[in-house]
Amino acid sequence: MGRELPNPESPREQARKLMDQKSNIEAELEAHFTILKANNVTMDTPLVDREGFPRADVDIYAVRGARKRVIELRNDLKWNIEEMAKVLQVIYALPADGEESGAVEVEVVEKPTPFAKVEGVAPGSPARDAGMLQDDQIIKFGGLSHKSFEAGSLQPLVSLVGANENRPISITVLRSGESKVLSLTPRKGWGGRGLLGCHIVPYTPES
């Protein structure tokens, strides 16, 4: 009977590779969009004049090549984001260092513990559209809870947001002592910086 070969890469290694791949795809996309911008065209701008002749003011060959590559890269980016979401779910489901993987699970009802606080929300932002308010205390962000974070770092949240651009994330906040579930969709092009449009900081009891 043959022995099953172990996976050569851990989920965290897969996540690092996917993040690097995402950065490379985005950089190449930017380069091709620069070609389109240099020719004063978009992905949909006609490349022929009113009489049906190729436009003399456009590098047709370069623009067509850039458009073709942009379509391919967008598909690659979509796949990358989907894979990243899967890998992150696996990572955040892993037992913390030092936990006994073979221990018997006992259901314990825990008091909601905030790990982040909203310090500001920009008008017209994805965060505002989701109903987030200043001073909201975040107790759940997708599959993340306070156990997913090290003191003073929100890197898991940043990674999850980047991997879920244009995809809704369920979040739970404490507001005036009550839990509220919101749906937040990270996206660009809302008129401000970042994918969320809010300022989130690590939560401390005195904050």
Side-chain angles (χ1 to χ4, degrees):
M1 181 176 178
R3 186 175 61 179
E4 183 179 354
L5 294 175
N7 188 338
E9 292 185 347
S10 70
R12 289 183 175 83
E13 290 173 338
Q14 294 176 39
R16 281 193 290 269
K17 286 190 175 182
L18 286 168
M19 288 299 290
D20 289 341
Q21 183 185 55
K22 182 173 183 286
S23 297
N24 292 336
I25 292 173
E26 290 174 337
E28 189 176 348
L29 273 171
E30 183 64 27
H32 289 294
F33 278 122
T34 299
I35 293 174
L36 299 183
K37 186 176 181 181
N39 284 273
N40 294 315
V41 298
T42 66
M43 290 292 290
D44 303 312
T45 305
L47 300 183
V48 295
D49 58 25
R50 293 180 179 179
E51 297 179 355
F53 293 102
R55 289 175 51 181
D57 61 328
V58 173
D59 186 336
I60 304 294
Y61 179 81
V63 169
R64 284 179 175 169
R67 285 179 171 178
K68 180 177 182 294
R69 189 59 182 146
V70 165
I71 293 172
E72 295 171 346
L73 289 168
R74 282 175 170 173
N75 289 333
D76 290 345
L77 185 59
K78 180 181 177 182
W79 175 88
N80 177 280
I81 290 172
E82 291 173 350
E83 289 300 306
M84 176 64 75
K86 294 176 185 176
V87 172
L88 288 175
Q89 288 179 356
V90 172
I91 291 174
Y92 299 133
L94 292 174
D97 293 341
E99 288 188 4
E100 296 183 6
S101 58
V104 177
E105 293 185 4
V106 178
E107 184 176 356
V108 178
V109 178
E110 297 183 353
K111 181 180 179 181
T113 303
F115 57 81
K117 178 181 178 181
V118 180
E119 285 205 335
V121 181
S125 65
R128 177 60 58 86
D129 292 343
M132 295 180 72
L133 298 178
Q134 184 175 350
D135 294 328
D136 277 351
Q137 298 172 6
I138 302 175
I139 58 177
K140 192 172 182 181
F141 199 101
L144 304 179
S145 68
H146 69 98
K147 294 182 179 180
S148 307
F149 299 86
E150 298 179 357
S153 172
L154 293 178
Q155 186 56 46
L157 187 151
V158 175
S159 298
L160 186 65
V161 168
N164 284 275
E165 184 177 346
N166 297 319
R167 298 173 58 172
I169 301 173
S170 177
I171 65 174
T172 305
V173 301
L174 279 179
R175 184 182 300 166
S176 301
E178 295 184 0
S179 297
K180 294 186 178 294
V181 178
L182 309 174
S183 180
L184 174 63
T185 302
R187 59 182 171 84
K188 297 177 182 176
W190 58 270
R193 297 180 59 185
L195 296 176
L196 302 182
C198 63
H199 186 207
I200 299 176
V201 297
Y203 174 82
T204 54
E206 64 273 10
S207 65

